[in-house]
Amino acid sequence: MRERIVAGNWKMNTTPQEGVKLACAVAEAIASTNWQTRASASSAESRRQTPSSADNVTVVICPPATHLAIIGEAVKSSSVELGAQNVHWADKGAYTSELSSAMLEAVGCKWVIIGHSERRSMFGETDETVNMRLRHIVKTDIRPIVCIGETLDKRQSEQTFAVLEQQLKVGLDGVELVGREGVVIAYEPVWAIGTGLNATPEQAQEAHRFIRGLLSKMYGKDIADNNVIQYGGSMNEKNANELMACQDVDGGLIGGASLRVDKFLPIIKAAYSQ
Ligand code: 13P
C-alpha cells in the first residue's frame, strides 16, 4: 500500500518559542496515542520495503527557517519529521537570504516544500525554477514535496488539467527519482488555499487520478502507483477523513490547521484510519 504523508506547512507563522511549543505538543500528542509511526524508517531503503498499514504514515512539520535548528533539536527523538519551506538549487554562494540543502540537512531536515503557489504568485517561482530546485534536491537525502495546482480562473475556464500537465512536465523534467523513495506531489488548488473552501472529494479525486495518470505516462505504472500525491487547500479536522478516503489521495499538506494541535491531530488520525 502507498505511504500517507501528513505535512504541516506553518508558512510565516509563530515565533521560535511558540514553534518549539507547538512542535513538542504535536510530538507528544502523537506519542500518547496508540498509533504507530514510521519514526526510524525514513531511509530510502526502508521506504522501499513493503510497509504494513499502521506504520505507513509519516508526519512532517515545516516551520519557518529561523526555527529549524531549534525545532530539529526538540523533535529529534520523536516520530515527527522536520521539513523546510524552500531550498536553493546551488550548493553555496552569493545568494542572499537563500538556504542550501546542506544547511537544511545539518539541522535535521528530511523534507522540503518546493513550488508552493505562494512562492509562485508572490515571489516569482516558475516551473523552470521548481525544476532547478528539484534536480538539485533529488541528489540529496532530503525528500521534496512539489506543489502544483490551478487558480480559480483556470478551473473556471476548464484548463485545470492543462495547468497540472504543464506544471508536472516542466517541474519534473529530467528528474528520475519518483515513486516510493522520491518526489511527493502535493495537489493544491490555489482557490482552496486559506479560503476555507476545500475541493470536494470528487474534485480532489479527479485531479489526483489525472496526476497519477500523467506520472504513469512519464515513469510507468509501477512508479506512479507508488507515488504519494497529497491534497492541500483548507484541509481540516472536519473534511480530512472524506478527502483521504479518496482512492488517489495519500495524505495532506496542511496550512492553517497545522498551527493548532487540536486541529492537526484529527487530520493525522484520518491518515491512520484509511
Ligand atoms: P490551508 O490549509 O491554510 O488552506 O493552506 C494550505 C497550504 O497552502 C499548504 O501548503
Side-chain angles (χ1 to χ4, degrees):
M1 80 180 298
R2 271 194 301 272
E3 300 173 88
R4 286 182 296 277
I5 299 169
V6 178
N9 175 8
W10 293 5
K11 306 189 180 181
M12 198 176 73
N13 291 294
T14 72
T15 64
Q17 289 74 17
E18 289 165 347
V20 169
K21 228 168 125 184
L22 175 58
C24 291
V26 170
E28 279 159 26
I30 295 170
S32 71
T33 70
N34 56 4
W35 314 332
Q36 292 175 42
T37 60
R38 209 169 51 79
S40 54
S42 53
S43 67
E45 184 51 41
S46 55
R47 282 197 292 272
R48 272 191 285 275
Q49 292 161 6
T50 309
S52 65
S53 60
D55 66 357
N56 203 25
V57 175
T58 303
V59 178
V60 182
I61 52 172
C62 303
T66 44
H67 313 12
L68 288 172
I70 189 171
I71 292 183
E73 210 37 52
V75 300
K76 74 174 179 210
S77 52
S78 81
S79 67
V80 175
E81 298 189 358
L82 188 68
Q85 297 177 15
N86 202 3
V87 66
H88 198 264
W89 51 81
D91 289 333
K92 60 178 173 180
Y95 302 101
T96 300
S97 100
E98 295 292 323
L99 297 172
S100 74
S101 56
M103 295 171 188
L104 300 183
E105 275 186 294
V107 293
C109 285
K110 293 183 172 164
W111 298 87
V112 66
I113 298 170
I114 291 178
H116 192 279
S117 68
E118 287 148 17
R119 300 300 315 166
R120 293 175 187 262
S121 66
M122 292 184 260
F123 303 103
E125 184 85 79
T126 63
D127 294 331
E128 287 73 21
T129 54
V130 167
N131 183 248
M132 289 162 78
R133 295 183 208 282
L134 205 48
R135 281 178 185 237
H136 170 78
I137 209 73
V138 293
K139 291 188 248 146
T140 73
D141 286 334
I142 298 179
R143 267 183 101 186
I145 297 175
V146 179
C147 302
I148 59 174
E150 80 288 359
T151 58
L152 185 58
D153 232 33
K154 298 288 183 189
R155 174 161 282 267
Q156 286 172 340
S157 56
E158 298 184 357
Q159 294 178 70
T160 298
F161 291 162
V163 170
L164 297 180
E165 183 161 355
Q166 158 87 9
Q167 291 176 334
L168 213 57
K169 281 197 169 151
V170 180
L172 294 188
D173 182 47
V175 175
E176 298 294 328
L177 195 64
V178 293
R180 187 161 182 81
E181 67 270 33
V183 176
V184 168
I185 306 292
Y187 170 59
E188 297 209 302
V190 178
W191 47 271
I193 295 177
T195 58
L197 183 72
N198 59 285
T200 63
E202 293 73 25
Q203 288 170 323
Q205 172 56 24
E206 183 187 41
H208 282 234
R209 194 181 47 207
F210 176 79
I211 293 165
R212 201 174 303 287
L214 267 177
L215 291 175
S216 182
K217 278 188 210 152
M218 293 162 70
Y219 297 99
K221 186 171 181 322
D222 274 5
I223 285 179
D225 282 348
N226 275 310
N227 209 97
V228 173
I229 307 174
Q230 298 176 306
Y231 169 79
S234 297
M235 189 182 263
N236 59 35
E237 72 283 13
K238 296 196 185 83
N239 59 29
N241 256 311
E242 58 173 11
L243 283 163
M244 287 195 215
C246 298
Q247 198 185 344
D248 289 292
V249 175
D250 313 314
L253 182 56
I254 326 297
S258 71
L259 294 170
R260 280 183 46 181
V261 187
D262 60 333
K263 294 189 179 292
F264 195 41
L265 203 66
I267 300 175
I268 298 167
K269 186 173 183 199
Y272 277 99
S273 314
Q274 304 308 314

